Amino acid sequence: MAQDLNPVLILGAGINGAALARELLLNRVPVVLIDHADIASGTTSWSSRLIHGGLRYLEHGEASLVYESLAERERFLSNSPEHVSPLELMIPVKSQFAGLISSAAGFFNLPIFKSKNPSRGAWAIRSGLTMYDFLAGSQNLGSHKRMSQKQWKPIGFDASFVDVFSYYDGQIEFPELYVSTLIHDCEEIAQQHGIRFTLRTYRRPKLNGKHFEFENLLDFDAAVEALEPSALVNASGPSGDETLQELGIRSDRLFGGTRGSHLISHKPILKEALGPRGIYAEAFDGRPVFILPWNGGVLIGTTDIRHEGDPEVATASQEEIDYLLKCVNSVLPGVELQHEDIVQHYSGVRPLPYVPAGSTASIPRGHWLHEHTSTPWPCYTIVGGKLTTCRSLAEHSAKTILKQLGQEVVGDSKTRKTYEGDPPKIESGQRARFIMQHLTGVDAVSDTQTLAEAAISQLHAKTLADVVERRLMLVFHPGLSRSHLSAIADALITDGKLSVDVKQETLEAYIQRLQSRFGKQVLPD
């Protein structure tokens, strides 16, 4: 019986690790989920926050990935409407016929015709959108359309654009909170079926023969017993190679991540230009840029630069910020976006496979489970993966692991809902509070300290950053002040996770982190 198995050990509590934990638990397999930091503190927190099919992947012949992603987009919208909502995206084009040959060459993998950054005209875009609709099948979002000039002219597109198409994808405002939802679901499944699920954050695994020991990185946490797992899954994202190296597991290089940076603005003229729609456009250099309504403001992204070094300290460079500003102004010149209009930025590293040469756009965006054969138990590393396909990745990975363990597939998460009933109506800027209420039962109008206490007691938050950046999502609130941070620190003190003696020192250090990592200014009291 699966209940008699030792737990599967998953290293990495991001969206892929948490989704895999849920999938294994649904198949009655016990799980221990470990992270050296907080849940969702890696790549999950740094994305463009879209649940999408990957329209541009068609140019690189990845039709099967687009098909998979579109199916998962539909499941997200159906199963988790508190997290994901439809978003209409406009695609302005500069010509009628540009890009037909190069786009077709990319789809059929004919490199002789490829261009590094080909311009895409109306015919190429419409062909791609038609294929996108075909792969989506009879989904609820509907098909693409060509917008009338009366609809798009007032938006203020650059005069070089001659036509505009629109289509729908999904937007997930806070994937960080979706991971909290997955963890909450894991706990409910484990309780329902009487199987083990253990989450431990801020632990560093150490391998001693067949057993793992876990170094406690926080003074106040209880120790975790040594564990001999039935299988090991390395789900640590772009740090996957370093994780293997630290454990002494031999492997060729698997990861070659690229950095993606984003800007956030609340400039009124930009918000008014967008309205409820987003823009997916070619910028001045032919690369795509997203300009999206998000959380009461505007999210702008992204770059795609090869990244070497520690992914946990990836920060938007001044060159990237300048580049994204130029991109926006090349699409919407009347907005005149300036540095002072950017309230903050963020940057992260995608867990892409190692490809030593070529353009970053051509690096495969799919995912797979890489098996290691030199270990005393089944051992795998998750390579690739993105927000949209976290569930299907987990399902495919669980089937592989179950087969290796001699277990049958008895469940999956295809129709498992995290929210029952009609899609909720959530006002702009209120989604995090809505989800917190849904997960913890706190009152919708609770003050910051009460919400923080719920995040600490029920959602595994242990530090200021955990609460601010990945539970209450105050890191993105334009009104974040010292009094908010002080109230959260008091909640940590009450729970024994912070000493009153170091409160001020901790607050000052965290305010400095917000400035250096996010370019964010905390308001005075």
Side-chain angles (χ1 to χ4, degrees):
M1 294 177 65
Q3 291 93 329
D4 298 328
L5 285 172
N6 284 355
V8 171
L9 176 60
I10 301 175
L11 302 180
I15 200 165
N16 288 330
L20 177 58
R22 181 176 71 161
E23 207 72 30
L24 290 169
L25 289 163
L26 286 170
N27 284 279
R28 315 298 188 263
V29 173
V31 172
V32 172
L33 180 60
I34 299 286
D35 201 294
H36 75 284
D38 186 27
I39 64 172
S41 59
T43 301
T44 302
S45 294
W46 313 118
S47 74
S48 296
R49 302 168 184 272
L50 290 171
I51 299 298
H52 65 114
L55 178 61
R56 202 179 184 202
Y57 302 161
L58 291 174
E59 287 188 337
H60 301 285
E62 296 189 273
S64 61
L65 176 60
V66 174
Y67 179 79
E68 176 187 359
S69 300
L70 287 168
E72 292 305 306
R73 180 190 71 179
E74 183 76 355
R75 291 191 177 102
F76 255 114
L77 288 162
S78 174
N79 295 338
S80 300
E82 79 278 34
H83 289 281
V84 182
S85 54
L87 176 65
E88 186 178 6
L89 291 164
M90 299 177 287
I91 305 180
V93 296
K94 296 181 178 180
S95 70
Q96 292 299 317
F97 299 105
L100 267 177
I101 294 177
S102 58
S103 295
F107 182 81
F108 292 107
N109 198 27
L110 302 173
I112 189 172
F113 292 115
K114 287 183 181 179
S115 172
K116 185 176 181 181
N117 283 308
S119 178
R120 300 156 191 87
W123 282 85
I125 293 297
R126 175 164 275 181
S127 297
L129 288 170
T130 299
M131 175 64 75
Y132 204 64
D133 292 340
F134 173 76
L135 292 172
S138 56
Q139 295 194 11
N140 294 324
L141 289 182
S143 302
H144 76 278
K145 62 184 179 183
R146 180 173 181 247
M147 297 178 68
S148 68
Q149 289 195 10
K150 184 178 179 180
Q151 290 175 302
W152 65 262
K153 279 288 188 181
I155 292 169
F157 287 116
D158 184 79
S160 61
F161 293 112
V162 298
D163 220 340
V164 178
F165 297 88
S166 81
Y167 72 105
Y168 280 90
D169 262 327
Q171 184 175 56
I172 180 167
E173 282 190 43
F174 301 118
E176 304 91 337
L177 286 175
Y178 183 70
V179 174
S180 282
T181 300
L182 288 174
I183 297 296
H184 184 266
D185 204 21
C186 285
E187 293 168 337
E188 291 196 339
I189 296 166
Q191 183 178 17
Q192 177 184 353
H193 296 292
I195 54 180
R196 178 179 177 181
F197 172 66
T198 302
L199 169 69
R200 291 291 183 265
T201 54
Y202 296 97
R203 307 301 172 109
R204 190 175 303 281
K206 305 286 185 181
L207 184 55
N208 184 6
K210 294 182 179 181
H211 290 78
F212 282 87
E213 298 170 353
F214 303 99
E215 178 187 358
N216 192 345
L217 302 181
L218 295 175
D219 294 336
F220 53 77
D221 265 353
V224 181
E225 71 276 11
L227 171 69
E228 180 180 346
S230 61
L232 172 70
V233 181
N234 173 18
S236 51
S239 298
D241 288 322
E242 287 71 23
T243 298
L244 295 171
Q245 187 175 13
E246 289 174 3
L247 295 176
I249 297 174
R250 297 190 302 274
S251 175
D252 293 334
R253 180 174 179 179
L254 297 175
F255 294 91
T258 66
R259 187 170 72 249
S261 294
H262 300 78
L263 310 180
I264 298 171
S265 177
H266 289 271
K267 190 169 186 177
I269 190 174
L270 178 57
K271 293 165 65 173
E272 291 166 9
L274 286 181
R277 300 185 182 103
I279 295 173
Y280 179 27
E282 284 182 8
F284 65 95
D285 62 350
R287 284 199 71 252
V289 59
F290 284 110
I291 311 170
L292 309 173
W294 177 77
N295 189 37
V298 177
L299 180 65
I300 300 157
T302 178
T303 56
D304 194 12
I305 301 169
R306 289 183 183 271
H307 182 87
E308 298 291 341
D310 187 353
E312 295 187 14
V313 295
T315 304
S317 67
Q318 191 58 56
E319 291 77 12
E320 288 176 284
I321 294 172
D322 292 342
Y323 170 80
L324 289 172
L325 286 173
K326 188 175 180 181
C327 285
V328 173
N329 289 325
S330 72
V331 175
L332 299 169
V335 168
E336 298 182 344
L337 198 65
Q338 306 295 324
H339 283 87
E340 55 266 28
D341 300 317
I342 303 305
V343 296
Q344 68 190 88
H345 52 71
Y346 66 85
S347 185
V349 179
R350 304 172 180 92
L352 301 181
Y354 176 60
V355 178
S359 72
T360 55
S362 64
I363 298 174
R365 258 51 177 184
H367 53 80
W368 66 89
L369 204 59
H370 179 90
E371 184 175 7
H372 305 277
T373 57
S374 61
T375 53
W377 10 252
C379 180
Y380 305 91
T381 291
I382 294 175
V383 182
K386 59 196 188 81
L387 295 179
T388 307
T389 56
C390 66
R391 195 215 62 82
S392 56
L393 182 157
E395 183 182 348
H396 299 155
S397 299
K399 286 179 179 178
T400 298
I401 295 165
L402 289 165
K403 183 178 181 181
Q404 184 71 43
L405 297 179
Q407 304 295 320
E408 294 184 359
V409 175
V410 296
D412 64 52
S413 58
K414 282 189 179 75
T415 59
R416 188 170 183 87
K417 295 183 180 296
T418 60
Y419 187 88
E420 298 292 344
D422 296 331
K425 296 186 184 338
I426 304 173
E427 294 182 13
S428 178
Q430 295 299 310
R431 190 173 296 272
R433 187 174 286 266
F434 180 92
I435 295 170
M436 280 292 298
Q437 182 187 15
H438 179 61
L439 287 176
T440 66
V442 295
D443 193 278
V445 294
S446 297
D447 61 19
T448 299
Q449 186 165 340
T450 302
L451 288 166
E453 289 169 353
I456 295 163
S457 63
Q458 299 184 53
L459 301 180
H460 307 281
K462 297 179 179 178
T463 71
L464 268 173
D466 296 353
V467 177
V468 175
E469 299 173 26
R470 292 174 290 275
R471 304 303 189 284
L472 306 191
M473 308 314 301
L474 289 174
V475 66
F476 298 118
H477 196 292
L480 178 63
S481 68
R482 282 179 171 266
S483 61
H484 289 122
L485 298 181
S486 180
I488 295 167
D490 289 340
L492 290 166
I493 291 168
T494 299
D495 203 72
K497 292 181 170 56
L498 182 66
S499 169
V500 67
D501 296 338
V502 297
K503 175 182 174 180
Q504 289 306 316
E505 176 185 343
T506 302
L507 288 174
E508 295 305 322
Y510 185 64
I511 289 169
Q512 179 57 41
R513 167 186 161 81
L514 291 174
Q515 170 59 39
S516 61
R517 190 77 194 268
F518 295 91
K520 184 174 183 65
Q521 300 292 332
V522 175
L523 299 178
D525 293 336

